[in-house]
Amino acid sequence: MKHWFITTDGSLKARWKNAFPEMVASKPDVFIGKAQPNDVVWLSTTVDGWSELIGAVTAKGAIVVVLSYSPDDREALRSLDLGARGYVHTLAAPEVLKQVALVVTNQGVWVGQELLAKVLGGTFKALQQRAEGGGAFNTAELGSLTDRERGVALAVVRGATNKEVARQLDITERTVKAHLSAIFKKLAVRDRLQLILKLAPIVERVPERF
């Protein structure tokens, strides 16, 4: 797995090397044909057409984190909607970049705490409104999964990390990741956040031992 930093220049290369010694700084026209599945592509919003590049990169199976000098909630949401897994300040400290990488390479999503609070607040409000409306939730979503995939999905939606899921189900973290990839594909979701949004209403009505 490589870390690609895509900018209009390489002025911050030394800073990023503190986080990822083997990182590669590149311009857009150079890296696009070289990125491999599961590589992490850190894409600066200073690059012309950066938003269009997100789709091209994710189509190759690589993970995109958008870098911005002026983080903005609307831009962050747009980035995630286009397929990015993360959104962070361009000048974030190396330790923060390492944390971002850990999250996004484990099927997670990284955004600022304030935006995350807004998203989760809106999500819970929407779920509460749906529950109060008395609508029936369709558990057919779970029916498309195997028994083991259902166990992984339910554990994740209830807040378990990959490590915790592996311990609960007596499998390896690598197997958890493989199951999550299959789950995302079957349920047509992109990441853990979308999985939670899709299954949270159902999980409330499913016993711990489904």
Side-chain angles (χ1 to χ4, degrees), residues 183-200:
I183 291 165
F184 292 163
K185 184 175 182 179
K186 288 182 179 181
L187 299 186
V189 298
R190 189 173 60 241
D191 50 47
R192 296 171 88 98
L193 179 57
Q194 289 193 347
L195 179 67
I196 292 170
L197 296 181
K198 195 178 191 79
L199 295 186

Side-chain angles (χ1 to χ4, degrees), residues 41-45 50 54 63-81 83-90 92 96-97 100-101 103-104 108-113 115-116:
V41 177
W42 304 76
L43 178 61
S44 173
T45 57
W50 65 269
I54 294 176
I63 299 167
V64 176
V65 176
V66 173
L67 299 169
S68 176
Y69 280 105
S70 302
D72 172 78
D73 287 355
R74 184 170 297 180
E75 186 177 71
L77 290 173
R78 180 187 178 202
S79 300
L80 297 180
D81 188 54
R85 289 267 192 87
Y87 182 86
V88 67
H89 200 292
T90 304
V96 172
L97 296 181
V100 174
V103 170
V104 300
V109 174
W110 182 284
V111 293
Q113 290 188 353
L115 176 58
L116 181 60

Side-chain angles (χ1 to χ4, degrees), residues 51-62:
S51 57
E52 288 78 14
L53 280 174
I54 294 176
V57 174
T58 56
K60 291 178 172 292

Side-chain angles (χ1 to χ4, degrees), residues 144-183:
S144 64
L145 307 178
T146 66
D147 288 344
R148 182 48 59 87
E149 288 169 351
R150 280 196 294 273
V152 170
L154 293 175
V156 166
V157 174
R158 287 178 173 128
T161 63
N162 284 1
K163 185 175 183 178
E164 290 169 339
V165 175
R167 186 169 61 249
Q168 290 174 21
L169 301 180
D170 194 25
I171 56 179
T172 66
E173 288 187 59
R174 184 173 182 177
T175 300
V176 172
K177 292 180 182 179
H179 283 314
L180 280 174
S181 295
I183 291 165

Side-chain angles (χ1 to χ4, degrees), residues 104-150:
V104 300
T105 55
N106 281 281
Q107 312 289 350
V109 174
W110 182 284
V111 293
Q113 290 188 353
E114 289 185 7
L115 176 58
L116 181 60
K118 291 178 184 177
V119 171
L120 292 179
T123 298
F124 288 130
K125 183 176 180 181
L127 293 178
Q128 183 179 35
Q129 290 174 343
R130 288 173 64 182
E132 291 173 350
F137 296 117
N138 184 7
T139 56
E141 299 286 3
L142 293 175
S144 64
L145 307 178
T146 66
D147 288 344
R148 182 48 59 87
E149 288 169 351
R150 280 196 294 273

